[in-house]
Amino acid sequence: MSASSSTAQSIIRPDKDIVLDEHNPFESMMSRFDYAAELLSLDPGLYRVLRHPDKQIIVSVPVLRDNGEVEVFTGYRVLYNSSRGPAKGGIRFDLAVTLDEVKALAAWMTWKCALVNIPFGGAKGGVVCDPSTLSNGELERLTRRYTAQIIETLGPDSDVPAPDVNTNERVMAWIMDTYSMHKRHTVTAVVTGKPIEMGGSRGRRQATGRGCMIVARESLKKVGIPVQGARVAIQGFGNVGSVAAELLHELGCRVIAVSDKTGALYRPEGLEIPDVLNWIQNHRFLSGYPKAEAVTNEELLTLDTDVLLPAALENVITSRNAADIRARIIVEGANGPTTANADKILDEKGVFVVPDILANAGGVTVSYFEWVQDRGGYFWDLPTVNSRLEKIMVDSFREVVTMAERHKVNLRIAAYMLSIERVAVVHRLRGLYA
Ligand code: NAD
């Protein structure tokens, strides 16, 4: 180890002795950050700055229920770093939302935007709720009140939300409207992932899944597995998973398994994805689909497959099941599906893991395109959006692979090194405002 890295190591991670919780998403992210920072010999002051979120907001969100009662929900918005531009990051509505999770996701967004080299910092938000128990009216009131509670941070130049788990175009339209009512004029660029009719970008809804398809295709080529007929198993059949399934199927891959929270479907010869999508349209969930074997989500993860694409929630590949993973390639559609302890096991097994900050960056990339189009007031056609996305994803994939080979590290650490260095450069150039 060089002198500079041992100096960095002695300063980095003052709390290293604390027993880390493998499932704590912030710790999980930070353990990778620490390692990459050490390899970069990041100066200790900058290390300390980048280890802390810029701003953490906790709000109470009172909502009038349809039965006349008032319920109070808790909402968060974390701006992790905005040195490279406005903070960018989705909003999720979920019972599992915690401040630690939102912090981790906000940090991830910082590294992700830097990795694909778009001029954004990182943010994330969430409201602790179960949207499936809320009526449309209740969901609208919740969204508008949450928006009003965090309105000081929002803005096209400061903080730009997007959809995430359990939020969609409809929710983004309410946020945009609430913000615009406060500003007394229409501000389309305050959120991305909006309906196309009100300033959304063509291709945004499919962008994350499309990005996953692109990196899965590039990974297969890199590893030397023919794309045609390659077996793919996908966990999660929402925005990311279902689009990735559709595009990989169109590409000629064999999507052998898909799942949602009701369970998984398995068909070794390959599922007829258009038929599964049709089923979902009519039945909402995968369970009950007749032309495949029903397996559990746990079983899906350990299937014999070429590509495993977790696209549901975090912490699904852990030290408990990593040794049983049989996939040659993992493409992380979800944020944080693999814990740091699992990484070590997968490394030993030689699994080619495309990390979340690269694999699911297609969404934020087209969000960036949407923000650019809104600000310019000039909208692009779908082939333009898709070809620009293709270029950014392929270039970023190659940069990460090159970095990994140069430093003899896995793709995750290489991705962190690239992005941390990009954020660090801007911090050094800007200096510290006293
Ligand atoms: P979504 O709500 O549209 O879909 C989530 C899917 O996961 C659903 O099919 C749901 O049934 C399934 N699911 C939920 N709990 C599950 C469980 N315990 N086991 C198996 N499946 C389960 O969400 P999404 O937008 O597709 O996001 C999925 C992941 O991708 C999240 O980690 C999110 O942060 C990440 N992501 C999303 C985007 C985006 O543009 N939507 C961008 C980047 C990253």
Side-chain angles (χ1 to χ4, degrees), residues 92 105 112 124 163-166 204 208 235-241 259-261 285 297 311-314 333-335 360 363:
R92 58 172 59 180
L105 294 167
K112 193 184 299 184
K124 206 77 181 189
D164 195 69
V165 175
N166 295 331
R204 171 61 185 89
T208 308
Q235 184 184 57
F237 208 66
N239 177 280
V240 180
S259 76
D260 65 10
K261 63 180 169 196
F285 296 112
N297 264 291
L313 296 172
E314 55 266 14
N335 286 310
N360 68 32

